[in-house]
Amino acid sequence: MSPSPVHAQGVDSAHDCRILRAPWVVPVSSPVVQDGAVVVNRNRILAVGPFCELSPHYPDLPLTSCQGVLLPGLVNGHIHLDLSVMGTVQPDSPDSSMCDWIQKLLQRREAAKVSQEEIETAAEKTICDQYASGVGLMLDIGNIGLQRRDCKPVEILSLLEMLAPSQAAQRAVIDIISDFSSDFPVTGHAPYSTGPNLLKFIKKRCRQQETIFSLHLAENIDEALLLGKGEGCFAKFLQERGGLDGTFPVAGIDSRGVVGYLENLGILDDKTLCVHCVHIDDREIQVLAGTGTHVCLCPGSNRFLGVGTAPLEKILAAGILPALGTDSIASNPVLDLWQEMSILAQEHHRVDPATILAMATLGGAKALHRETDLGALAPGRRARFLHVEGREYEKAEDADQLLQRLISCGRPESISWIGDE
Ligand SMILES: [Zn+2]
C-alpha cells in the first residue's frame, strides 16, 4: 500500500513554490515513500507523498529532480563545543575509572592554556563539520561563553554548565548566577557534581525563562554509589578536592535511585533533558516517562569510556523516544550522528531502524521543543532538510532495506541541504 500524500491546508501553491522529486522520501513522522515528492515554498513544507499522487495537484510548479534520499536534518542533542580544542582524551588503561578520565581531562585543560580565540576557532571547525554531516540543530553545553556568530549554519542552543558539589560552592555559584542577566541560559552538570540546592535553583530559573534544563545522568555506576552511600570514585574525587562536606550521601534516597532523587527535587518535567541514562533501572525509567522527561543517549561516548550501554529497549517500551548526541571530542573521537546510529544498530539489533533514525531527527527536535519546525518532513515544518546520496541507497530494494542502510552504513557519500542552496 502506498502512503497517501499529506497536504497543508489553504496554501497558495503558485507562489515561490517548487516540487522536489526523489527515489526515496523518508519523512520520519510517516512511512517511507518510494518515488516520492516534497512540495515546498520558500519557508515551509506544503505537502509530502508519492510523486504520482502529488504532481497533479501542483501541475505548474518548477520540478527539482534529486537522485538520492530526502530526509529531515539531524539534531545533535548533546555536544560540548568548547572542548573541541582539547582533542580526544584517551583513558590510561581499560581498568581506569571515569574519575581518572575526568582528572586527565582537567589536567590537560589546565596544562594546555589555550586562548579564547583558539577555543572558538576549534569550536567553529566542529560546527562546520556538524553542518556538513547533516546536523541542523544542536544543544551545546559549555563551561565558557562562546562568542555567538550570526553566520553559523547550524542552529545552536547553548547552555552554560554550572558545577558545585559542596554547600559553600553551591552558595557561591548561586550568587554568581544571580548576577547574570535574567535571560542568560544556565544548566547543571550532573547529580554528582551539582549539589541539590543549586540544581533546584537553576531548574526554577529555567522554568521562569521557559528554557531547556539539561543534565548528565547515570553515565557511570559510581554516581548512584555517591548519592546512595557516599562511596565510589566520585566520593574519592570530591574528598581529594575538599568537596565532600555532608551533601552526599543524600539522606532518604529510596529505591527509585538517582532519578527518584531528581524527582524529589522537582527537577523532572518535559523541559528537562537527561543525558546518557546508562545506569537506570525499570523503576527509574517509569519515573522519567511519567514526568515527561526527555532522554538523550550518547552511545559513542559510552563505548569510548567503557561505562556501559543504555537500556534503549526499555526506554522505548516506556514510550520515550530518546534524542541522540555525540558528546564532545574528548570522549568520542568521531563526532558524527551517522556513526552514533550505527553503534546503536550494532548494540540494539532488535530496535527498528526507523526508530533509530527517528532518534537522530524527531527525538532531538522533541527534546529541544522544536518539533513544529524540525525533525520530520511534514506540512508546516521548515523547508530546510537533507538530500543524501550513496551507492547503498541506490541499490535498496525496499523501504526496510533503505532504512537499515541509512542507519548502519555511516556518513553518506554525499550530503546536501535543501533550502540552503
Ligand atoms: Zn557531556
Side-chain angles (χ1 to χ4, degrees):
M1 189 186 83
S2 73
S4 332
V6 194
H7 301 268
Q9 299 293 314
V11 176
D12 175 9
S13 63
H15 190 63
D16 280 334
C17 296
R18 62 173 168 152
I19 182 163
L20 298 121
R21 181 181 189 177
W24 297 100
V25 174
V26 181
V28 172
S29 55
S30 56
V32 173
V33 188
Q34 190 160 13
D35 191 11
V38 182
V39 183
V40 297
N41 67 15
R42 203 184 310 162
N43 301 314
R44 296 282 156 185
I45 295 173
L46 306 180
V48 180
F51 179 76
C52 63
E53 292 180 32
L54 277 183
S55 57
H57 293 278
Y58 302 93
D60 302 323
L61 291 191
L63 173 69
T64 303
S65 288
C66 304
Q67 304 307 310
V69 185
L70 299 179
L71 75 164
L74 309 181
V75 179
N76 191 343
H78 186 73
I79 192 166
H80 305 271
L81 288 170
D82 62 12
L83 291 178
S84 299
V85 74
M86 303 296 301
T88 303
V89 179
Q90 287 287 343
D92 285 331
S93 79
D95 301 329
S96 56
S97 71
M98 192 174 148
C99 295
D100 296 332
W101 180 83
I102 292 171
Q103 182 150 342
K104 193 171 175 183
L105 171 66
L106 295 175
Q107 280 168 350
R108 189 185 287 192
R109 191 152 64 178
E110 184 81 0
K113 299 208 184 325
V114 287
S115 67
Q116 178 81 9
E117 194 183 344
E118 288 170 308
I119 292 170
E120 291 191 355
T121 301
E124 197 72 19
K125 211 164 153 240
T126 299
I127 294 165
C128 290
D129 184 61
Q130 288 290 293
Y131 177 74
S133 79
V135 170
L137 170 68
M138 62 170 83
L139 178 62
D140 169 44
I141 309 297
N143 289 125
I144 58 164
L146 289 175
Q147 204 183 344
R148 287 165 189 272
R149 299 185 192 187
D150 293 338
C151 63
K152 278 173 188 167
V154 182
E155 252 187 275
I156 304 172
L157 175 58
S158 288
L159 307 177
L160 188 66
E161 178 180 68
M162 308 306 278
L163 296 82
S166 69
Q167 298 285 353
Q170 289 178 76
R171 280 194 296 272
V173 170
I174 287 170
D175 284 347
I176 291 169
I177 297 171
S178 301
D179 285 341
F180 289 166
S181 75
S182 62
D183 60 350
F184 190 86
V186 164
T187 199
H189 174 253
Y192 65 81
S193 56
T194 311
N197 293 333
L198 182 55
L199 285 175
K200 282 196 289 188
F201 178 84
I202 297 173
K203 179 61 190 180
K204 188 177 167 197
R205 195 173 176 274
C206 288
R207 279 209 181 93
Q208 286 163 350
Q209 296 177 341
E210 299 185 346
T211 53
I212 303 295
F213 174 85
S214 180
L215 188 71
H216 297 81
L217 174 71
E219 181 175 2
N220 185 288
I221 193 72
D222 287 55
E223 180 171 279
L225 277 176
L226 172 71
L227 268 71
K229 298 181 178 173
E231 297 172 0
C233 85
F234 290 124
K236 189 163 165 269
F237 188 86
L238 292 178
Q239 198 158 28
E240 285 167 1
R241 286 158 182 77
L244 205 58
D245 64 349
T247 304
F248 304 114
V250 177
I253 196 162
D254 61 23
S255 60
R256 296 169 310 137
V258 179
V259 173
Y261 160 71
L262 294 179
E263 189 188 24
N264 291 343
L265 293 179
I267 299 294
L268 302 180
D269 60 29
D270 77 335
K271 285 208 165 165
T272 290
L273 176 61
C274 292
V275 181
H276 291 295
C277 298
V278 175
H279 298 279
I280 51 173
D281 65 19
D282 295 1
R283 290 191 63 173
E284 292 177 291
I285 292 169
Q286 289 308 321
V287 173
L288 291 173
T291 51
T293 304
H294 291 279
V295 166
C296 177
L297 304 189
C298 303
S301 171
N302 297 154
R303 178 182 278 193
F304 180 81
L305 293 178
V307 294
T309 306
L312 175 58
E313 292 83 350
K314 290 180 175 181
I315 293 170
L316 290 168
I320 299 172
L321 176 67
L324 205 49
T326 56
D327 217 326
S328 79
I329 193 80
S331 66
N332 192 354
V334 183
L335 300 187
D336 187 335
L337 283 182
W338 299 96
Q339 170 149 307
E340 299 299 320
M341 285 191 269
S342 74
I343 293 173
L344 281 185
Q346 290 160 22
E347 293 178 344
H348 306 274
H349 42 86
R350 269 179 278 176
V351 173
D352 181 14
T355 301
I356 292 178
L357 185 63
M359 288 173 62
T361 50
L362 191 58
K366 281 174 181 277
L368 303 184
H369 286 248
R370 293 297 310 281
E371 71 269 33
T372 54
D373 278 339
L374 307 170
L377 303 184
R381 260 115 161 164
R382 281 182 62 190
R384 184 172 184 256
F385 48 88
L386 300 179
H387 175 214
V388 303
E389 295 174 84
R391 275 159 293 181
E392 303 87 355
Y393 317 141
E394 284 168 21
K395 292 181 198 149
E397 288 171 8
D398 55 33
D400 289 343
Q401 206 170 68
L402 175 78
L403 287 165
Q404 184 65 46
R405 291 176 182 187
L406 279 170
I407 62 145
S408 59
C409 294
R411 193 184 285 206
E413 288 166 31
S414 160
I415 300 175
S416 53
W417 282 92
I418 303 293
D420 282 359
E421 308 102 317

PDB file of all heavy atoms in Angstrom, residues 189-209:
ATOM      1  N   HIS A 189      25.382  20.288  35.753  1.00  0.00           N
ATOM      2  CA  HIS A 189      26.268  19.327  35.105  1.00  0.00           C
ATOM      3  C   HIS A 189      25.777  17.898  35.329  1.00  0.00           C
ATOM      4  O   HIS A 189      25.447  17.185  34.391  1.00  0.00           O
ATOM      5  CB  HIS A 189      27.712  19.490  35.618  1.00  0.00           C
ATOM      6  CG  HIS A 189      28.643  18.448  35.112  1.00  0.00           C
ATOM      7  ND1 HIS A 189      29.121  17.429  35.910  1.00  0.00           N
ATOM      8  CD2 HIS A 189      29.150  18.224  33.883  1.00  0.00           C
ATOM      9  CE1 HIS A 189      29.901  16.638  35.193  1.00  0.00           C
ATOM     10  NE2 HIS A 189      29.942  17.108  33.960  1.00  0.00           N
ATOM     11  N   ALA A 190      25.757  17.459  36.591  1.00  0.00           N
ATOM     12  CA  ALA A 190      25.359  16.079  36.904  1.00  0.00           C
ATOM     13  C   ALA A 190      24.999  16.008  38.379  1.00  0.00           C
ATOM     14  O   ALA A 190      25.473  16.830  39.176  1.00  0.00           O
ATOM     15  CB  ALA A 190      26.512  15.126  36.593  1.00  0.00           C
ATOM     16  N   PRO A 191      24.203  15.013  38.790  1.00  0.00           N
ATOM     17  CA  PRO A 191      23.848  14.919  40.216  1.00  0.00           C
ATOM     18  C   PRO A 191      25.067  14.769  41.121  1.00  0.00           C
ATOM     19  O   PRO A 191      25.018  15.172  42.277  1.00  0.00           O
ATOM     20  CB  PRO A 191      22.961  13.665  40.268  1.00  0.00           C
ATOM     21  CG  PRO A 191      22.352  13.582  38.907  1.00  0.00           C
ATOM     22  CD  PRO A 191      23.431  14.066  37.967  1.00  0.00           C
ATOM     23  N   TYR A 192      26.178  14.201  40.608  1.00  0.00           N
ATOM     24  CA  TYR A 192      27.347  14.017  41.461  1.00  0.00           C
ATOM     25  C   TYR A 192      28.191  15.285  41.597  1.00  0.00           C
ATOM     26  O   TYR A 192      29.040  15.366  42.484  1.00  0.00           O
ATOM     27  CB  TYR A 192      28.225  12.855  40.974  1.00  0.00           C
ATOM     28  CG  TYR A 192      28.877  13.046  39.620  1.00  0.00           C
ATOM     29  CD1 TYR A 192      30.037  13.795  39.479  1.00  0.00           C
ATOM     30  CD2 TYR A 192      28.335  12.472  38.479  1.00  0.00           C
ATOM     31  CE1 TYR A 192      30.631  13.978  38.241  1.00  0.00           C
ATOM     32  CE2 TYR A 192      28.917  12.637  37.235  1.00  0.00           C
ATOM     33  CZ  TYR A 192      30.068  13.394  37.124  1.00  0.00           C
ATOM     34  OH  TYR A 192      30.649  13.571  35.894  1.00  0.00           O
ATOM     35  N   SER A 193      27.992  16.260  40.698  1.00  0.00           N
ATOM     36  CA  SER A 193      28.865  17.442  40.686  1.00  0.00           C
ATOM     37  C   SER A 193      28.122  18.749  40.946  1.00  0.00           C
ATOM     38  O   SER A 193      28.739  19.765  41.224  1.00  0.00           O
ATOM     39  CB  SER A 193      29.573  17.544  39.334  1.00  0.00           C
ATOM     40  OG  SER A 193      28.598  17.561  38.301  1.00  0.00           O
ATOM     41  N   THR A 194      26.807  18.720  40.830  1.00  0.00           N
ATOM     42  CA  THR A 194      25.998  19.919  41.064  1.00  0.00           C
ATOM     43  C   THR A 194      25.055  19.596  42.217  1.00  0.00           C
ATOM     44  O   THR A 194      24.166  18.753  42.073  1.00  0.00           O
ATOM     45  CB  THR A 194      25.197  20.303  39.794  1.00  0.00           C
ATOM     46  OG1 THR A 194      26.093  20.308  38.670  1.00  0.00           O
ATOM     47  CG2 THR A 194      24.559  21.664  39.934  1.00  0.00           C
ATOM     48  N   GLY A 195      25.278  20.239  43.350  1.00  0.00           N
ATOM     49  CA  GLY A 195      24.526  19.905  44.562  1.00  0.00           C
ATOM     50  C   GLY A 195      23.039  20.223  44.440  1.00  0.00           C
ATOM     51  O   GLY A 195      22.614  20.968  43.553  1.00  0.00           O
ATOM     52  N   PRO A 196      22.221  19.666  45.360  1.00  0.00           N
ATOM     53  CA  PRO A 196      20.759  19.750  45.237  1.00  0.00           C
ATOM     54  C   PRO A 196      20.201  21.164  45.269  1.00  0.00           C
ATOM     55  O   PRO A 196      19.274  21.475  44.518  1.00  0.00           O
ATOM     56  CB  PRO A 196      20.250  18.919  46.422  1.00  0.00           C
ATOM     57  CG  PRO A 196      21.414  18.770  47.352  1.00  0.00           C
ATOM     58  CD  PRO A 196      22.642  18.839  46.494  1.00  0.00           C
ATOM     59  N   ASN A 197      20.766  22.023  46.116  1.00  0.00           N
ATOM     60  CA  ASN A 197      20.215  23.395  46.180  1.00  0.00           C
ATOM     61  C   ASN A 197      20.467  24.144  44.876  1.00  0.00           C
ATOM     62  O   ASN A 197      19.609  24.889  44.393  1.00  0.00           O
ATOM     63  CB  ASN A 197      20.837  24.171  47.350  1.00  0.00           C
ATOM     64  CG  ASN A 197      20.412  23.571  48.677  1.00  0.00           C
ATOM     65  OD1 ASN A 197      19.342  22.970  48.765  1.00  0.00           O
ATOM     66  ND2 ASN A 197      21.256  23.705  49.685  1.00  0.00           N
ATOM     67  N   LEU A 198      21.645  23.916  44.306  1.00  0.00           N
ATOM     68  CA  LEU A 198      21.976  24.572  43.043  1.00  0.00           C
ATOM     69  C   LEU A 198      21.127  24.007  41.902  1.00  0.00           C
ATOM     70  O   LEU A 198      20.655  24.766  41.042  1.00  0.00           O
ATOM     71  CB  LEU A 198      23.477  24.398  42.746  1.00  0.00           C
ATOM     72  CG  LEU A 198      23.995  25.066  41.485  1.00  0.00           C
ATOM     73  CD1 LEU A 198      23.684  26.561  41.464  1.00  0.00           C
ATOM     74  CD2 LEU A 198      25.510  24.846  41.340  1.00  0.00           C
ATOM     75  N   LEU A 199      20.923  22.693  41.904  1.00  0.00           N
ATOM     76  CA  LEU A 199      20.062  22.096  40.870  1.00  0.00           C
ATOM     77  C   LEU A 199      18.659  22.718  40.927  1.00  0.00           C
ATOM     78  O   LEU A 199      18.091  23.095  39.892  1.00  0.00           O
ATOM     79  CB  LEU A 199      19.956  20.578  41.062  1.00  0.00           C
ATOM     80  CG  LEU A 199      21.166  19.734  40.659  1.00  0.00           C
ATOM     81  CD1 LEU A 199      20.933  18.274  41.033  1.00  0.00           C
ATOM     82  CD2 LEU A 199      21.461  19.850  39.162  1.00  0.00           C
ATOM     83  N   LYS A 200      18.111  22.822  42.141  1.00  0.00           N
ATOM     84  CA  LYS A 200      16.753  23.385  42.287  1.00  0.00           C
ATOM     85  C   LYS A 200      16.730  24.847  41.836  1.00  0.00           C
ATOM     86  O   LYS A 200      15.798  25.273  41.158  1.00  0.00           O
ATOM     87  CB  LYS A 200      16.302  23.294  43.760  1.00  0.00           C
ATOM     88  CG  LYS A 200      15.853  21.898  44.148  1.00  0.00           C
ATOM     89  CD  LYS A 200      15.066  21.895  45.454  1.00  0.00           C
ATOM     90  CE  LYS A 200      15.948  22.173  46.651  1.00  0.00           C
ATOM     91  NZ  LYS A 200      15.257  21.999  47.939  1.00  0.00           N
ATOM     92  N   PHE A 201      17.774  25.575  42.197  1.00  0.00           N
ATOM     93  CA  PHE A 201      17.844  26.999  41.832  1.00  0.00           C
ATOM     94  C   PHE A 201      17.867  27.169  40.313  1.00  0.00           C
ATOM     95  O   PHE A 201      17.136  27.991  39.739  1.00  0.00           O
ATOM     96  CB  PHE A 201      19.100  27.626  42.465  1.00  0.00           C
ATOM     97  CG  PHE A 201      19.305  29.069  42.113  1.00  0.00           C
ATOM     98  CD1 PHE A 201      18.651  30.069  42.819  1.00  0.00           C
ATOM     99  CD2 PHE A 201      20.142  29.435  41.055  1.00  0.00           C
ATOM    100  CE1 PHE A 201      18.833  31.409  42.487  1.00  0.00           C
ATOM    101  CE2 PHE A 201      20.324  30.770  40.722  1.00  0.00           C
ATOM    102  CZ  PHE A 201      19.667  31.762  41.436  1.00  0.00           C
ATOM    103  N   ILE A 202      18.708  26.361  39.663  1.00  0.00           N
ATOM    104  CA  ILE A 202      18.835  26.501  38.198  1.00  0.00           C
ATOM    105  C   ILE A 202      17.545  26.067  37.498  1.00  0.00           C
ATOM    106  O   ILE A 202      17.081  26.707  36.553  1.00  0.00           O
ATOM    107  CB  ILE A 202      20.045  25.698  37.665  1.00  0.00           C
ATOM    108  CG1 ILE A 202      21.349  26.251  38.255  1.00  0.00           C
ATOM    109  CG2 ILE A 202      20.097  25.756  36.148  1.00  0.00           C
ATOM    110  CD1 ILE A 202      22.590  25.427  37.914  1.00  0.00           C
ATOM    111  N   LYS A 203      16.961  24.968  37.978  1.00  0.00           N
ATOM    112  CA  LYS A 203      15.729  24.496  37.329  1.00  0.00           C
ATOM    113  C   LYS A 203      14.609  25.531  37.484  1.00  0.00           C
ATOM    114  O   LYS A 203      13.849  25.773  36.539  1.00  0.00           O
ATOM    115  CB  LYS A 203      15.302  23.146  37.921  1.00  0.00           C
ATOM    116  CG  LYS A 203      14.019  22.583  37.326  1.00  0.00           C
ATOM    117  CD  LYS A 203      14.117  22.319  35.821  1.00  0.00           C
ATOM    118  CE  LYS A 203      12.765  21.993  35.216  1.00  0.00           C
ATOM    119  NZ  LYS A 203      12.813  21.745  33.778  1.00  0.00           N
ATOM    120  N   LYS A 204      14.527  26.146  38.652  1.00  0.00           N
ATOM    121  CA  LYS A 204      13.497  27.178  38.864  1.00  0.00           C
ATOM    122  C   LYS A 204      13.707  28.337  37.877  1.00  0.00           C
ATOM    123  O   LYS A 204      12.764  28.847  37.265  1.00  0.00           O
ATOM    124  CB  LYS A 204      13.583  27.692  40.310  1.00  0.00           C
ATOM    125  CG  LYS A 204      12.461  28.608  40.712  1.00  0.00           C
ATOM    126  CD  LYS A 204      12.590  29.001  42.176  1.00  0.00           C
ATOM    127  CE  LYS A 204      11.644  30.162  42.477  1.00  0.00           C
ATOM    128  NZ  LYS A 204      11.985  30.850  43.714  1.00  0.00           N
ATOM    129  N   ARG A 205      14.975  28.702  37.695  1.00  0.00           N
ATOM    130  CA  ARG A 205      15.322  29.777  36.760  1.00  0.00           C
ATOM    131  C   ARG A 205      14.936  29.385  35.329  1.00  0.00           C
ATOM    132  O   ARG A 205      14.414  30.195  34.556  1.00  0.00           O
ATOM    133  CB  ARG A 205      16.824  30.028  36.886  1.00  0.00           C
ATOM    134  CG  ARG A 205      17.332  31.312  36.284  1.00  0.00           C
ATOM    135  CD  ARG A 205      18.786  31.491  36.650  1.00  0.00           C
ATOM    136  NE  ARG A 205      19.346  32.671  36.004  1.00  0.00           N
ATOM    137  CZ  ARG A 205      19.860  32.671  34.788  1.00  0.00           C
ATOM    138  NH1 ARG A 205      19.881  31.571  34.088  1.00  0.00           N
ATOM    139  NH2 ARG A 205      20.354  33.795  34.270  1.00  0.00           N
ATOM    140  N   CYS A 206      15.220  28.121  34.961  1.00  0.00           N
ATOM    141  CA  CYS A 206      14.852  27.634  33.616  1.00  0.00           C
ATOM    142  C   CYS A 206      13.341  27.686  33.420  1.00  0.00           C
ATOM    143  O   CYS A 206      12.858  28.017  32.334  1.00  0.00           O
ATOM    144  CB  CYS A 206      15.334  26.198  33.411  1.00  0.00           C
ATOM    145  SG  CYS A 206      17.110  26.050  33.224  1.00  0.00           S
ATOM    146  N   ARG A 207      12.588  27.332  34.479  1.00  0.00           N
ATOM    147  CA  ARG A 207      11.120  27.380  34.371  1.00  0.00           C
ATOM    148  C   ARG A 207      10.656  28.810  34.116  1.00  0.00           C
ATOM    149  O   ARG A 207       9.793  29.043  33.268  1.00  0.00           O
ATOM    150  CB  ARG A 207      10.469  26.867  35.658  1.00  0.00           C
ATOM    151  CG  ARG A 207      10.420  25.368  35.730  1.00  0.00           C
ATOM    152  CD  ARG A 207       9.239  24.858  36.567  1.00  0.00           C
ATOM    153  NE  ARG A 207       9.297  23.398  36.577  1.00  0.00           N
ATOM    154  CZ  ARG A 207       9.906  22.701  37.535  1.00  0.00           C
ATOM    155  NH1 ARG A 207      10.465  23.317  38.561  1.00  0.00           N
ATOM    156  NH2 ARG A 207       9.952  21.390  37.461  1.00  0.00           N
ATOM    157  N   GLN A 208      11.258  29.747  34.831  1.00  0.00           N
ATOM    158  CA  GLN A 208      10.866  31.162  34.635  1.00  0.00           C
ATOM    159  C   GLN A 208      11.188  31.609  33.218  1.00  0.00           C
ATOM    160  O   GLN A 208      10.447  32.359  32.603  1.00  0.00           O
ATOM    161  CB  GLN A 208      11.594  32.059  35.648  1.00  0.00           C
ATOM    162  CG  GLN A 208      11.025  31.917  37.058  1.00  0.00           C
ATOM    163  CD  GLN A 208      11.977  32.456  38.133  1.00  0.00           C
ATOM    164  OE1 GLN A 208      13.130  32.779  37.872  1.00  0.00           O
ATOM    165  NE2 GLN A 208      11.483  32.529  39.355  1.00  0.00           N
ATOM    166  N   GLN A 209      12.331  31.130  32.695  1.00  0.00           N
ATOM    167  CA  GLN A 209      12.755  31.536  31.341  1.00  0.00           C
ATOM    168  C   GLN A 209      12.106  30.685  30.254  1.00  0.00           C
ATOM    169  O   GLN A 209      12.289  30.942  29.076  1.00  0.00           O
ATOM    170  CB  GLN A 209      14.269  31.362  31.185  1.00  0.00           C
ATOM    171  CG  GLN A 209      15.099  32.234  32.067  1.00  0.00           C
ATOM    172  CD  GLN A 209      16.589  31.924  31.881  1.00  0.00           C
ATOM    173  OE1 GLN A 209      16.960  30.869  31.371  1.00  0.00           O
ATOM    174  NE2 GLN A 209      17.432  32.829  32.304  1.00  0.00           N
TER     175      GLN A 209
END
